[in-house]
Amino acid sequence: MLLLRPKDYTLLIEPPADYNSVMTACAFAACKLEPTTILNIERTAAVRQLEEFLASGNIQCCWSNDGVTVDPGAKKPFIYSQRFGNYDLFSYAVTMAATVAGSSIALIDDVDETVQMTVLALRRMGAELEFLGGKKSRMEVKKPVSHEIKYYLKRESAKIVPHLVLAMSTIGGKCELFDLFGGSRFDDIFQHFVAGFERKSLRDDEPEDELERRLRKRTPTQAGEYRSHLTIAGGVNDTASTITLRPDTELATYLVAGVDNYSRGKLILKNFSSVDISDTPLGQLRRMGVEFIPYNQNEVKGYLVKKSAVKGRRVAYEQLHDYPDAVGALALAASVGEGTSVIRSSPYNTNREEARRRRLCDIIRSLGAKIAEIDDGLVVEGRKELSADLVKTEGDALCALLATAAALGVVDRIEVDDISDGVARWGESFNRLLQLVSPPVTESAI
């Protein structure tokens, strides 16, 4: 498919919540008895399979224009024999199934460290899980989670915090979790659904005095490996409730990275707040030089983004640990910036995440950019002019998004083999992007 950069354009987007936040919120809602209304969700193809899985446990989803009401009042064991469309959904399905005795779910072909560590933790919580082979391999739950535990995260289990908190919250007693990071992008969701959720920092508070902060950086003290301590107590907050999820800042980061290089293009992030920028990958783009201009016209509030002077910088893995997929967006911005950027995605990535990072690098390289992989990230040297060869997405939604976003300004034209996975994951937001960069169909082409 050929994608062309428009001559002049203004792209206004108001993306709903990202897929991982939707899965996390729906998974917690499924563990309640009372209904939960979750707002700012689009019923994309990816979300439909999540809905299908919930229905296998007799959990009903009632959709409205801007969200869904999840009603688990008559829930039963999950009996799901269909093939899972993506690995993230499978990892949540394993956790949800382990909370209901008698559940049986199909297995995915390649079980990586994320699910392996999750299964080990679920078994420590008392779950009896049996894995059966054959033509239709599956996991059966003989006994659900029931034991209170104190869990210390390791490098290989750094990404399973949502799964652990979800399982722990169904036990009803007090569980503890020692996290390698100071916070999670899902903390707001945890606080909404878990009656006794608390996160305490295990590090000294940052001093207010600037000189003292600089001196501390010069002579760092020996700190423990863990940065925060989580308490999960009191079980799931089982009252009818409503929660509004934040907009998809990962999607927005890719679009900003594409628009930022083109002087005749503008992007309006509708209903984005300052927090949506400061504590997400958008904040890293701002540190690279992207300007987010407050916007309030014609009843549209948010931020305007247009061409900026982007400069290379170093991005630490702590700044991206919650958003490993955003590394492609930062690399895209750096590829046309001034100087060299070192983007450390995470030393805690699984093999599956490393494979995705390599695919994203291959696309950046196919644009003509200078990019090299290091043990825990990327090094990108900016160039003024790029041009694209044929891009292969390999059925990866993030690769489809990266290639399509590049047509907003990084390159003037790009040919992509397949972008259907982007549509399946981001729905209307991706379609709006696609309509902008797709050349009009002429009569001769019909």
Side-chain angles (χ1 to χ4, degrees):
M1 181 177 186
L2 180 63
L3 306 177
L4 301 177
R5 180 177 62 198
K7 185 176 181 180
D8 295 279
Y9 67 86
T10 298
L11 174 60
L12 186 150
I13 64 162
E14 187 181 6
D18 64 273
Y19 184 53
N20 285 310
S21 293
V22 172
M23 286 192 296
T24 303
C26 287
F28 275 96
C31 293
K32 296 171 56 177
L33 295 177
E34 297 296 326
T36 305
T37 298
I38 307 171
L39 300 179
N40 200 29
I41 295 180
E42 181 183 346
R43 197 181 187 185
T44 62
V47 172
R48 283 194 185 97
Q49 188 173 31
L50 168 62
E51 179 185 1
E52 184 182 88
F53 174 75
L54 294 176
S56 75
N58 205 31
I59 297 170
Q60 305 301 314
C61 294
C62 181
W63 290 88
S64 61
N65 290 333
D66 59 348
V68 62
T69 297
V70 179
D71 187 354
K75 64 182 177 182
K76 299 177 180 179
F78 295 99
I79 308 295
Y80 193 76
S81 59
Q82 302 300 313
R83 180 181 178 86
F84 284 93
N86 65 78
Y87 201 94
D88 294 324
L89 175 56
F90 172 68
S91 67
Y92 274 90
V94 168
T95 308
M96 282 188 276
T99 66
V100 185
S103 294
S104 174
I105 66 170
L107 294 181
I108 208 161
D109 291 339
D110 183 22
V111 177
D112 77 359
E113 300 96 322
T114 303
V115 170
Q116 291 172 14
M117 292 299 104
T118 303
V119 169
L120 290 175
L122 294 171
R123 284 174 167 165
R124 279 190 56 194
M125 295 182 215
E128 294 182 7
L129 310 176
E130 185 175 357
F131 290 82
L132 304 173
K135 290 184 178 180
K136 293 186 177 181
S137 56
R138 64 193 186 277
M139 181 191 82
E140 293 186 354
V141 181
K142 303 300 183 183
K143 182 181 177 182
V145 294
S146 58
H147 298 167
E148 302 173 16
I149 67 167
K150 182 182 293 187
Y151 194 92
Y152 293 82
L153 285 167
K154 302 298 182 185
R155 291 170 63 95
E156 61 271 20
S157 59
K159 302 293 179 67
I160 66 172
V161 170
H163 308 81
L164 293 175
V165 176
L166 173 65
M168 290 173 173
S169 67
T170 65
I171 294 173
K174 179 181 178 181
C175 292
E176 297 176 69
L177 179 62
F178 289 83
D179 197 353
L180 296 167
F181 300 101
S184 167
R185 65 194 283 191
F186 306 117
D187 276 354
D188 290 345
I189 298 176
F190 300 157
Q191 290 171 352
H192 178 88
F193 285 102
V194 184
F197 174 80
E198 183 180 15
R199 183 188 290 270
K200 288 186 177 180
S201 174
L202 298 178
R203 299 296 178 91
D204 294 336
D205 293 335
E206 186 77 5
E208 295 183 4
D209 183 74
E210 176 64 21
L211 178 59
E212 187 176 347
R213 281 200 296 269
R214 296 191 178 191
L215 289 173
R216 182 175 292 186
K217 287 182 179 180
R218 285 178 174 271
T219 56
T221 57
Q222 291 294 326
E225 184 179 12
Y226 299 102
R227 292 178 177 268
S228 62
H229 171 249
L230 281 69
T231 302
I232 299 95
V236 178
N237 192 0
D238 202 8
T239 58
S241 62
T242 299
I243 182 172
T244 301
L245 302 183
R246 294 170 61 177
D248 190 341
T249 56
E250 236 167 357
L251 168 68
T253 303
Y254 277 86
L255 301 185
V256 170
V259 169
D260 184 66
N261 187 56
Y262 188 53
S263 60
R264 302 176 75 171
K266 296 178 181 178
L267 173 66
I268 299 173
L269 303 175
K270 184 180 179 182
N271 289 333
F272 275 63
S273 68
S274 59
V275 175
D276 295 326
I277 294 173
S278 61
D279 66 353
T280 69
L282 290 171
Q284 302 307 317
L285 288 182
R286 184 165 60 183
R287 294 179 183 94
M288 293 171 72
V290 174
E291 291 187 68
F292 293 87
I293 305 168
Y295 185 90
N296 187 0
Q297 294 183 21
N298 301 322
E299 299 183 354
V300 176
K301 295 182 179 180
Y303 286 88
L304 171 67
V305 179
K306 52 186 181 179
K307 183 176 175 63
S308 305
V310 174
K311 295 185 178 181
R313 64 169 279 114
R314 292 180 176 269
V315 180
Y317 73 85
E318 292 93 343
Q319 297 166 317
L320 283 184
H321 80 93
D322 253 349
Y323 300 89
D325 293 333
V327 64
L330 300 189
L332 183 65
S335 67
V336 286
E338 178 185 339
T340 301
S341 293
V342 180
I343 306 167
R344 301 192 182 278
S345 56
S346 174
Y348 307 110
N349 281 353
T350 65
N351 291 334
R352 178 174 50 85
E353 290 167 332
E354 288 295 302
R356 165 172 280 176
R357 189 186 69 178
R358 285 192 293 271
R359 290 194 295 270
L360 293 171
C361 285
D362 288 342
I363 293 178
I364 298 291
R365 196 172 290 114
S366 73
L367 303 180
K370 292 184 177 180
I371 185 168
E373 297 179 58
I374 55 178
D375 289 342
D376 58 350
L378 313 169
V379 178
V380 186
E381 183 179 329
R383 300 182 66 178
K384 291 184 178 180
E385 298 291 337
L386 299 178
S387 60
D389 295 328
L390 172 65
V391 169
K392 296 182 179 181
T393 63
E394 299 185 31
D396 189 298
L398 264 295
C399 291
L401 176 60
L402 173 61
T404 310
L408 290 173
V410 174
V411 293
D412 59 2
R413 58 188 293 132
I414 185 171
E415 189 174 355
V416 186
D417 63 341
D418 182 21
I419 55 174
S420 58
D421 289 274
V423 178
R425 178 153 179 169
W426 289 285
E428 183 56 35
S429 295
F430 194 89
N431 276 327
R432 179 171 293 189
L433 167 64
L434 196 57
Q435 290 169 5
L436 183 64
V437 297
S438 298
V441 178
T442 61
E443 292 184 4
S444 61
I446 298 177

